[in-house]
Amino acid sequence: MNGGSRARRLTSRLAAQGAVFGRGSAARRFRIRRTLAAQDEGFTTRSRLGWLNAAGTRIGTTLDLERTAQELAEYVVPRLADAAAVDLLESVLRGEEGDHVVGTGVPVTRAMAVAAVEALRELEPSPVGEIVDREHRRETLLTTRCLGARESVMVASMTVEDLDRVAPTESAAAAMRRQGVHSYMAVPLIARGVLLGSADFVRAGDSPPFTGTDLALAEQLASKAAVYIDNARLYGREREHVVSLQRSLLPRATPNTPGLKVSTDYAPAVDARGVGGDWYDVVALPSGRTALVVGDVMGHGLPAAATMGRLRSVARTLMTLDIAPDRVLARLDLATRDLEDDQVATCLCAVYDPADASYTLASAGHPPPLLIEGPDGVPRFLDVPTGAPLGTGVIPYDPLRLESAPGSRLLLYTDGLMKTRTEDVDAQLAGLRAAVTGMTEEQLADGGLLAAAPQGDGRFDEAVLLVAQGCGPAAGTDLRTWTLPEGGTAASTARRLVTEQLAAWNLGEMADVTELVVSELVGNALRYGGGPGQLRMLRNERLMVEVSDTGPDLPQIQHADVSDEGGRGLQLINMLCRRWGSCRTAVGKVVWAEQNIPRG
């Protein structure tokens, strides 16, 4: 078929649909036929098909709704239209389903993308990102008809009245008149039977009017683009679900820990496939110590998030029992191997002791922590012995004990904070240290490192940041430690020290019970632990007493008969105190008891 016969066929189609787009005088229709023939020569059927097929490589390059809509608008300008605008349903932007039912009213839409040739930059479309205002012209706007009936609309040669039926406001209609807009069409964006939005196209100036062929081409393009937009909607909804699950499994608030100020932050990955496995936790331990945990499950998505929740629960339970970090990792390794999905994770545990401002750290294949000595110190990576990741079955783990200077900050993080697609691990660590060097104390506490991490497509993994800074005790918090003598005077010395300290804290009414508790703890240390070592007493929200010894056996409550002379000490402690417990240390064990402080 030659160009003249194709033009005649398009002209006859134009005449058949004159009620919709065939307006104007005979002379005008003659000019239209002439321009249609000229356009048909430059935009053949083969070129149209090629242009339509190429849309798959230019639209939907990412799974981002906004970007996909912008790609659609930019692709049609200037080949198909001089200006284009894409509006999406508000429900689609929230990740919900689009409109399934025809004729249920015009849904609320939001302007998502605009593109235009340079000569039409002064048009006044609905601002991108804002709700499209159709309230004043809801009954007359052609886009209302397009969305409500899910039908394409075209006006080949527009009159002044048609401009008012296209523009959302009078000012926009005036701008279209000034710019010489003369042809318009709107097509619905429908994918899988669901309405997602609409796309508007205009031509102006010397451009030929839209034809039925143009409308069919726009409908085919909108059908393809709608699938990409719906994929982005589904992908965004999945990401939101995974991120919501991830956040719900993380701590909602950090506890008040004496002598340590902790700030935490979490940044999900831009890609939903990068979300799911990173976690942190802060656990207040007896006698004012604080446990810090950061971990990363290898894998992404819902399975990794579920594994993360299990491991965090196990780690928190073990830390609450005041188990040493290296032993926590050993038991976490056993728990990881028991999981059905054969997951592997890295983890870093640290315990801070405010009595001597020391950290005890253990690592299971995790990136090294970063320590900033003093308020203005130079950051350096700690050489924590790196054990095998959890789930590999390679134990034990070796701890590192470190005494920190006043004001020092310890940074625990996951690899998403520094990981890139191009640099090796050494370069990533060097970049992280350089970023920390240029930040103030306030910037670090406010999550400045997350802001400095790779953004957009560069950050393909989520990131966790935990910053711990040793500081003086908060108001109302006091910690005292004493070394008890050997022999029979240990119990009397402990009672005297406790009584004097309680009097200094204005807690003399707690002296009787506390003396009894400390006597039983020291007595157990003398009988079963080779003698007491250190007595520690902490006043914070509650009063806690702790006695250490070198014995390996942990005490347990025994059932004493009426005739037994002993075996009732722990029963008394269990009755008089809020709670009590014990845990092993590198040289023995500690036994502690906690009481509520009377109000006032």
Side-chain angles (χ1 to χ4, degrees):
M1 181 182 295
N2 57 29
S5 60
R6 186 180 297 112
R8 287 191 296 272
R9 187 186 65 176
L10 294 177
T11 303
S12 62
R13 184 181 303 173
L14 180 66
Q17 303 182 24
V20 178
F21 55 88
R23 306 191 180 192
S25 62
R28 177 181 297 174
R29 286 195 292 271
F30 174 77
R31 290 195 299 271
I32 291 175
R33 287 195 299 270
R34 185 175 57 188
T35 53
L36 286 175
Q39 179 195 24
D40 195 61
E41 291 294 336
F43 204 7
T44 62
T45 301
R46 178 175 296 181
S47 64
R48 288 189 181 92
L49 291 176
W51 180 78
L52 187 61
N53 291 332
T57 62
R58 299 280 300 277
I59 304 174
T61 58
T62 66
L63 289 170
D64 181 78
L65 271 174
E66 292 81 357
R67 185 166 177 178
T68 303
Q70 187 63 40
E71 288 172 346
L72 170 60
E74 293 176 352
Y75 187 69
V76 300
V77 177
R79 190 65 183 269
L80 181 62
D82 294 329
V86 178
D87 301 339
L88 297 181
L89 271 62
E90 187 70 7
S91 58
V92 171
L93 298 178
R94 294 195 300 265
E96 303 172 1
E97 294 287 347
D99 193 357
H100 288 270
V101 182
V102 181
T104 57
V106 180
V108 178
T109 60
R110 187 178 296 270
M112 297 304 301
V114 173
V117 296
E118 188 64 31
L120 299 182
R121 293 298 181 183
E122 295 184 5
L123 291 180
E124 298 180 10
S126 299
V128 174
E130 296 186 6
I131 298 292
V132 179
D133 184 12
R134 297 190 181 94
E135 291 301 324
H136 302 297
R137 303 186 178 192
R138 176 178 291 272
E139 301 299 330
T140 58
L141 282 178
L142 295 180
T143 51
T144 300
R145 171 181 161 189
C146 174
L147 291 170
R150 299 190 187 185
E151 296 179 352
S152 300
V153 176
M154 184 175 72
V155 180
S157 183
M158 302 176 68
T159 64
V160 175
E161 292 77 10
D162 291 329
L163 291 175
D164 292 332
R165 297 171 61 199
V166 169
T169 62
E170 295 181 359
S171 176
M176 295 178 71
R177 284 193 296 270
R178 291 194 302 269
Q179 296 294 305
V181 173
H182 58 73
S183 193
Y184 168 83
M185 62 181 177
V187 294
L189 298 174
I190 301 174
R192 305 177 178 98
V194 178
L195 176 66
L196 305 176
S198 64
D200 297 1
F201 310 103
V202 299
R203 283 179 179 175
D206 296 334
S207 298
F210 286 121
T211 67
T213 303
D214 294 326
L215 182 61
L217 187 63
E219 290 174 339
Q220 291 294 324
L221 179 65
S223 178
K224 297 183 65 173
V227 174
Y228 303 141
I229 292 174
D230 196 43
N231 290 340
R233 176 189 66 85
L234 296 173
Y235 192 75
R237 184 173 65 179
E238 177 188 355
R239 177 181 182 274
E240 187 63 29
H241 288 171
V242 175
V243 171
S244 298
L245 175 62
Q246 173 83 341
R247 291 189 182 277
S248 67
L249 295 174
L250 294 175
R252 296 185 179 182
T254 56
N256 180 21
T257 55
L260 191 68
K261 183 170 60 176
V262 181
S263 59
T264 59
D265 209 345
Y266 165 75
V270 175
D271 193 333
R273 292 169 295 184
V275 178
D278 292 16
W279 92 89
Y280 66 87
D281 209 347
V282 182
V283 183
L285 303 179
S287 298
R289 289 184 289 268
T290 305
L292 310 171
V293 186
V294 170
D296 184 1
V297 177
M298 296 181 184
H300 305 289
L302 291 176
T307 300
M308 179 271 291
R310 298 175 186 174
L311 294 182
R312 177 178 173 258
S313 298
V314 174
R316 188 174 184 85
T317 302
L318 295 173
M319 282 295 188
T320 304
L321 296 175
D322 203 5
I323 300 177
D326 52 317
R327 296 177 63 85
V328 168
L329 294 182
R331 298 196 179 190
L332 274 177
D333 178 79
L334 296 175
T336 307
R337 279 185 280 168
D338 287 340
L339 298 178
E340 298 178 356
D341 44 3
D342 297 328
Q343 291 278 10
V344 177
T346 65
C347 187
L348 180 64
C349 295
V351 173
Y352 177 77
D353 192 342
D356 53 6
S358 65
Y359 289 98
T360 302
L361 304 102
S363 174
H366 204 77
L370 194 63
L371 180 68
I372 306 175
E373 292 280 5
D376 301 320
V378 177
R380 63 182 178 90
F381 290 105
L382 297 181
D383 190 16
V384 181
T386 305
L390 304 177
T392 59
V394 183
I395 52 176
Y397 298 94
D398 298 323
L400 171 69
R401 189 176 185 278
L402 170 74
E403 293 187 3
S404 61
S408 298
R409 286 155 288 168
L410 182 69
L411 275 66
L412 310 182
Y413 55 92
T414 56
D415 57 3
L417 186 66
M418 60 178 185
K419 186 163 56 176
T420 64
R421 301 182 186 274
T422 57
E423 298 177 325
D424 57 21
V425 175
D426 292 336
Q428 294 170 15
L429 292 173
L432 177 62
R433 182 167 55 185
V436 172
T437 304
M439 290 188 179
T440 63
E441 179 179 326
E442 292 75 15
Q443 288 175 325
L444 284 177
D446 293 339
L449 273 180
L450 290 177
Q455 299 295 317
D457 295 338
R459 192 179 78 240
F460 58 94
D461 199 359
E462 59 189 345
V464 161
L465 174 64
L466 187 151
V467 181
Q469 180 177 7
C471 56
T477 300
D478 290 287
L479 176 65
R480 298 290 184 270
T481 58
W482 303 276
T483 300
L484 296 177
E486 299 179 358
T489 62
S492 61
T493 301
R495 287 193 297 269
R496 176 179 56 82
L497 293 172
V498 165
T499 302
E500 293 175 353
Q501 190 59 59
L502 289 175
W505 286 344
N506 296 322
L507 296 175
E509 68 272 22
M510 301 182 67
D512 293 340
V513 174
T514 308
E515 284 184 13
L516 177 59
V517 170
V518 76
S519 295
E520 293 297 337
L521 295 180
V522 172
N524 281 336
L526 288 169
R527 183 175 300 180
Y528 307 109
Q534 192 178 72
L535 169 65
R536 175 183 292 200
M537 190 160 65
L538 171 70
R539 181 192 67 168
N540 190 13
E541 297 176 353
R542 299 178 180 90
L543 180 68
M544 186 173 297
V545 178
E546 177 186 285
V547 175
S548 64
D549 59 57
T550 58
D553 297 328
L554 300 179
Q556 295 181 357
I557 295 179
Q558 300 177 359
H559 295 283
D561 294 334
V562 177
S563 60
D564 292 342
E565 296 182 358
R568 296 180 177 84
L570 290 180
Q571 291 183 5
L572 289 173
I573 292 177
N574 189 60
M575 293 173 59
L576 296 173
C577 297
R578 179 179 180 269
R579 60 176 184 164
W580 70 278
S582 61
C583 65
R584 290 187 175 90
T585 63
V587 295
K589 68 175 181 293
V590 296
V591 185
W592 53 270
E594 182 183 81
Q595 303 176 62
N596 290 323
I597 296 177
R599 293 184 178 181

